[in-house]
């Protein structure tokens, strides 16, 4: 895959993370105001994107073994989510939440607590989606890459059909994050993740639908806007449109590479830490437009830290040790 394609997908990932941030921050910190009420549909786009990217980057390596892939994914995702979990644990202790130690232990081990209807991962509510994504990644490395496209398509169609029924049953696509609808989360991740795998295989075989004339960012925004207008009854239709956004993103040649690369770099840290920051702002500062803006800026600032640390390490590595001309000894910068 070319650099342009990866950069465009990074930009879409950043846009989806921003949608989740606004979806959570505005209603909590500005009561009576709702912005992007269907922001939770970004999670389905994340699942779709994960299926495509894992196929593109790792499928050729799967025959060499699953261990390296699992280690890579855990190192890439888990420490960042742990930061969000620890922030959530501090906030829960401040609030006086029950069973904080149990919830913390389970969260750090990615064990969903399916009781009490407080959320599978009460310390950081977004962790549920990463749990399902890691399950999908593992199944991909273990089984999906070996399967012919025909059977993946059959399973994906069944998963999407189940998703439609579940959306009608629950009244929206906002399920999978609580004990009452935990099992339904497997259908949610299966449909979109396998959809991403199918998009990759179609691209690989040169059979991808030509959507190069569509701007994927505008299409993403249009889906969110229509979702705001029609409400949850549009949720399932939106999930069916996400593959078109992905295809358009693969074919799109962006002129804003730096901005898209930035969005991709901060997307996962922003997703992982924003909810405890929003809840902490609510508890410490109360509600209001300025509080909402403050929480968003803080979440973005924290999300930028890994990128800044990576740049700092790169600069230090490039600089290397400085040698003293007099003593001939290396001096550490």
């Amino acid at each position: 895959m070319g650099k342009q394609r990866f950069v465009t997908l990074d930009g879409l990932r950043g846009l989806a993370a921003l949608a989740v941030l606004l979806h959570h921050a505005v209603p909590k910190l500005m009561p009576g105001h709702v912005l992007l009420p269907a922001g939770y549909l970004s999670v389905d786009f994340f699942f779709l994107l994960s299926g495509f990217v894992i196929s593109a980057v790792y499928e050729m390596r799967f025959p060499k073994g699953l261990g390296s892939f699992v280690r890579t994914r855990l190192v890439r995702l888990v420490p960042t989510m742990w930061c969000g979990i620890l922030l959530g644990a501090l906030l829960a202790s401040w609030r006086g939440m029950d069973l904080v130690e149990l919830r913390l232990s389970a969260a750090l081990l990615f064990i969903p607590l399916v009781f009490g209807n407080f959320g599978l991962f009460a310390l950081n509510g977004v962790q549920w989606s990463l749990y399902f994504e890691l399950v999908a990644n593992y199944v991909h490395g273990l089984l999906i890459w070996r399967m012919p496209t025909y059977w993946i398509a059959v399973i994906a169609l069944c998963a999407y059909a189940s998703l439609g029924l579940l959306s009608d049953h629950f009244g929206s696509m906002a399920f999978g994050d609580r004990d009452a609808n935990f099992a339904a989360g497997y259908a949610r991740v299966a449909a979109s993740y396998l959809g991403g795998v199918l998009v990759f295989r179609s691209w690989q075989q040169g059979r991808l639908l030509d959507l190069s004339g569509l701007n994927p960012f505008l299409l993403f925004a249009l889906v969110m806007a229509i979702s705001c207008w029609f409400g949850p009854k549009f949720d399932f239709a939106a999930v069916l449109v996400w593959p078109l956004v992905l295809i358009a993103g693969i074919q799109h040649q962006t002129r804003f590479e730096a901005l898209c690369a930035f969005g991709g770099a901060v997307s996962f840290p922003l997703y992982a830490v924003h909810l405890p920051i929003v809840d902490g702002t609510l508890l410490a500062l109360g509600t209001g437009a300025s509080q909402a803006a403050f929480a968003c800026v803080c979440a973005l600032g924290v999300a930028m830290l890994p990128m800044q640390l990576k740049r700092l390490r790169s600069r230090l590595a490039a600089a290397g040790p400085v040698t003293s001309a007099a003593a001939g000894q290396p001096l550490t910068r």
Side-chain angles (χ1 to χ4, degrees), residues 203-284:
W203 175 84
Q204 188 181 44
Q205 297 166 8
R207 299 177 180 177
L208 207 58
L209 183 67
D210 183 9
L211 296 178
S212 56
L214 292 178
N215 185 307
F217 301 103
L218 292 179
L219 187 56
F220 183 98
L222 180 62
V223 171
M224 284 295 173
I226 295 175
S227 297
C228 293
W229 182 266
F230 287 99
K233 61 184 178 182
F234 182 74
D235 281 6
F236 181 60
V239 173
L240 296 179
V241 176
W242 283 149
L244 301 180
V245 177
L246 175 59
I247 293 171
I250 294 168
Q251 299 168 344
H252 181 68
Q253 302 294 310
T254 181
R255 293 179 296 175
F256 304 100
E257 290 190 16
L259 182 60
C260 288
F262 172 79
V266 302
S267 59
F268 181 65
L270 181 63
Y271 185 76
V273 305
H274 78 275
L275 197 52
I277 291 175
V278 169
D279 289 339
T281 301
L282 175 63
L283 189 61

Side-chain angles (χ1 to χ4, degrees), residues 54-69:
I54 295 301
S55 298
V57 177
Y58 292 103
E59 274 205 349
M60 295 299 293
R61 309 179 196 178
F62 285 150
K64 299 179 181 179
L66 187 59
S68 176
F69 168 68

